[in-house]
């Protein structure tokens, strides 16, 4: 079949959804299917990375962040015409898979409606929590987003009113034949808020081949992540987008307060990097690695003694603790929903439902406990079942079942 992905951001940009979509595309193609990826054109120094990739259909766009990492395409008739012309050179489309929450979702649903193509929509984003994390004006912003959604998707699916985050997601799902979510806890929340009657749970996965290579490297002691890692101290790794909802700055406050003799590697980039570096300036054993490739990142996780996950209430899955568990590395988990999904093999941080000072204090204490356990050789062991369930090949097989069901019903 020919499946068209729609994303808010180009797949060569930084982000967990982009990593997941790249893997989905690769494993769908391995299974003999054709994938087209429709997303805004990138800007900045990395814009040419996927310029020759025939699967990418880049839409005219404008940069929306100072580092030009992320961009936006306006959903409207001009974009519709551009997309329709570009798609005439590609095979007939069997199914649209929307994996976007904003303009990419609007563009994808409009395309499917114009051409009578069924839609599978994967919800990657807690829109309400994400917006609340970056602006105190989240209620009027959500109200404006819902007005935009109603205008962009007029005539698609059933009319959906309301002005909060759940109304926004209900409006996106109104044009879909199936909705999937990357975790049980997010799927149940979507159902409880009437976003969709029955949401299919399909985890985002880890590349089978890269995982095998990383584990082989670790077994032969050639995956040492940085020089001077032979200190014998516990090794912690934090990775992700450096933005408020990920709670990097509170984590570094907790790291300072914990006072442990350990190494910390921070992987990723974003607007809070300068503030993060200032918080730990002069602290021994703290290293900012910047943005790394997918295999490099997995190698760092595998070589660490513990991964630290710090966002609370935002993640719809939280891929990094699952990647860590699949590689045999335990995690410090701040989000109780992620802890419940993971099942075991982690240190849980208390006080997730309290104010930030209490959360920081609880995280500092958990860091002390984890460092002590690692030094004593009593760190928890991730559950073996996670490794099998998290492989991308199994996740793609599950998604293909959803595709086939939707096509049979349409």
């Amino acid at each position: 079949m020919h499946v068209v992905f729609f994303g808010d951001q180009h797949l060569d940009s930084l982000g967990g959804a982009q990593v997941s979509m790249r893997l989905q595309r690769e494993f769908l193609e391995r299974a003999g299917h054709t994938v087209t990826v429709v997303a805004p054109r990138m800007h900045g120094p990395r814009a040419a990375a996927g310029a020759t990739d025939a699967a990418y259909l880049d839409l005219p766009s404008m940069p929306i962040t100072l580092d030009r990492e992320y961009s936006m395409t306006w959903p409207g008739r001009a974009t519709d015409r551009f997309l329709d012309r570009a798609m005439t050179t590609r095979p007939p489309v069997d199914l649209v898979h929307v994996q976007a929450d904003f303009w990419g979702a609007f563009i994808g649903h409009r395309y499917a409606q114009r051409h009578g193509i069924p839609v599978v929509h994967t919800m990657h984003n807690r829109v309400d929590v994400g917006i609340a994390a970056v602006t105190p004006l989240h209620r009027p912003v959500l109200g404006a987003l819902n007005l935009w959604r109603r205008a962009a998707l007029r005539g698609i699916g059933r009319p959906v009113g309301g002005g909060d985050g759940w109304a926004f997601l209900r409006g996106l799902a109104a044009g879909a034949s199936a909705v999937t979510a990357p975790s049980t806890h997010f799927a149940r929340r979507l159902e409880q808020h009437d976003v969709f009657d029955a949401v299919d749970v399909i985890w985002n996965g880890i590349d089978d081949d890269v995982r095998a290579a990383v584990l082989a490297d670790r077994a032969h002691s050639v995956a040492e992540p940085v020089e001077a890692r032979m200190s014998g101290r516990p090794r912690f790794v934090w990775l992700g987008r450096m933005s408020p909802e990920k709670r990097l700055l509170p984590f570094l406050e907790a790291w300072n307060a914990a006072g442990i003799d350990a190494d910390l590697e921070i992987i990723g980039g974003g607007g809070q990097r300068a503030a993060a570096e200032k918080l730990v300036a002069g602290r021994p054993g703290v290293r900012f690695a910047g943005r790394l490739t997918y295999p490099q990142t997995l190698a760092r996780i595998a070589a660490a003694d513990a991964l630290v996950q710090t966002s609370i209430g935002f993640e719809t899955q939280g891929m990094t603790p699952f990647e860590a568990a699949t590689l045999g590395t335990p995690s410090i988990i701040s989000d109780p929903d992620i802890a419940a999904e993971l099942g075991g093999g982690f240190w849980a941080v208390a006080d997730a439902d309290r104010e930030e000072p209490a959360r920081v204090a609880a995280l500092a204490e958990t860091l002390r406990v984890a460092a002590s356990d690692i030094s004593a050789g009593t760190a928890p062991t991730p559950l073996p079942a996670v490794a099998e369930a998290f492989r991308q090949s199994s996740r793609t097989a599950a998604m293909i079942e959803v595709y086939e069901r939707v096509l049979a019903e349409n």
Side-chain angles (χ1 to χ4, degrees):
M1 68 186 86
H2 180 193
V3 181
V4 181
F5 288 178
F6 283 84
D8 284 324
Q9 296 301 328
H10 198 281
L11 297 201
D12 288 331
S13 64
L14 184 68
Q18 292 90 304
V19 171
S20 172
M21 290 171 70
R22 288 199 300 266
L23 283 177
Q24 290 175 48
R25 174 214 164 174
E26 178 181 346
F27 279 77
L28 279 170
E29 289 176 344
R30 288 189 191 186
H33 305 291
T34 300
V35 179
T36 295
V37 181
V38 179
R41 181 174 65 86
M42 284 190 75
H43 301 264
R46 299 196 300 132
T52 60
D53 193 322
Y56 289 171
L57 198 167
D58 295 352
L59 299 174
S61 68
M62 64 189 83
I64 57 172
T65 54
L66 292 176
D67 61 2
R68 301 172 69 84
E69 177 77 13
Y70 302 113
S71 53
M72 171 190 175
T73 295
W74 187 261
R77 292 178 181 175
T79 297
D80 293 344
R81 288 193 295 269
F82 178 93
L83 176 58
D84 286 348
R85 284 196 303 270
M87 289 299 296
T88 60
T89 64
R90 296 173 182 258
V93 177
D94 297 291
L95 187 136
V96 163
H97 189 169
V98 174
Q99 303 200 54
D101 302 287
F102 301 106
W103 45 89
F106 301 162
I107 294 165
H109 280 285
R110 288 166 66 102
Y111 176 80
Q113 173 78 1
R114 288 195 306 279
H115 299 281
I117 301 167
V119 176
V120 172
H121 192 126
T122 294
M123 299 284 182
H124 282 289
N125 193 350
R126 275 290 302 269
V127 172
D128 53 343
V129 176
I131 292 175
V134 298
T135 175
L137 303 174
H138 59 279
R139 288 187 177 87
V141 169
L142 283 169
L145 279 174
N146 274 290
L147 289 174
W148 187 23
R149 181 259 305 168
R150 285 193 287 272
L153 299 181
R154 186 176 291 112
I156 299 176
R158 59 184 174 84
V160 176
D164 64 5
W166 297 112
F168 185 81
L169 295 181
R170 281 194 291 273
L172 296 185
S177 295
V179 170
T180 77
S183 67
T184 303
H185 68 263
F186 188 43
R188 298 297 84 85
R189 282 200 176 98
L190 291 169
E191 293 169 353
Q192 290 161 9
H193 288 86
D194 298 320
V195 173
F196 204 77
D197 289 340
V199 178
D200 291 282
V201 179
I202 301 179
W203 287 359
N204 297 318
I206 189 171
D207 188 303
D208 302 42
D209 300 336
V210 175
R211 172 182 175 270
V214 167
L215 291 177
D217 283 346
R218 188 175 66 176
H220 291 89
S221 301
V222 296
E224 192 66 19
V226 293
E227 38 311 295
R229 279 298 198 190
M230 302 304 292
S231 65
R233 297 191 298 270
R235 299 171 296 181
F236 294 84
V237 62
W238 184 99
L239 63 142
R241 183 175 61 252
M242 297 180 186
S243 53
E245 71 277 5
K246 298 293 187 176
R247 297 183 66 244
L248 172 60
L249 301 187
F251 162 58
L252 293 178
E253 292 175 13
W255 181 266
N256 289 340
I260 56 178
D261 184 21
D263 290 330
L264 170 63
E265 186 169 31
I266 301 168
I267 301 170
Q272 291 192 323
R273 174 159 181 171
E277 290 177 336
K278 185 176 180 180
L279 262 179
V280 290
R283 299 285 301 187
V286 179
R287 177 179 185 268
F288 286 80
R291 292 167 176 161
L292 303 178
T293 66
Y294 181 67
Q296 287 171 335
T297 299
L298 295 184
R300 298 292 209 267
I301 295 172
D305 294 305
L307 175 135
V308 186
Q309 178 273 325
T310 49
S311 62
I312 299 174
F314 170 73
E315 308 290 350
T316 55
Q317 177 182 6
M319 286 182 66
T320 56
F322 289 85
E323 289 168 335
T326 306
L327 295 166
T329 300
S331 295
I332 293 172
I333 305 289
S334 296
D335 191 317
D337 285 332
I338 295 176
E341 192 90 11
L342 201 56
F346 55 84
W347 296 272
V349 182
D351 296 330
D353 58 346
R354 298 185 64 188
E355 296 299 316
E356 196 66 284
R359 290 173 169 179
V360 170
L363 180 52
E365 177 58 26
T366 307
L367 286 165
R368 295 187 196 103
V369 171
S372 176
D373 289 348
I374 292 165
S375 297
T378 58
T381 302
L383 300 180
V386 174
E388 175 64 24
F390 196 61
R391 289 185 306 113
Q392 184 59 48
S393 56
S394 71
R395 302 304 81 220
T396 295
M399 189 64 77
I400 289 172
E401 290 183 5
V402 174
Y403 290 170
E404 291 175 341
R405 186 187 77 217
V406 166
L407 291 174
E409 293 171 351
N410 288 269

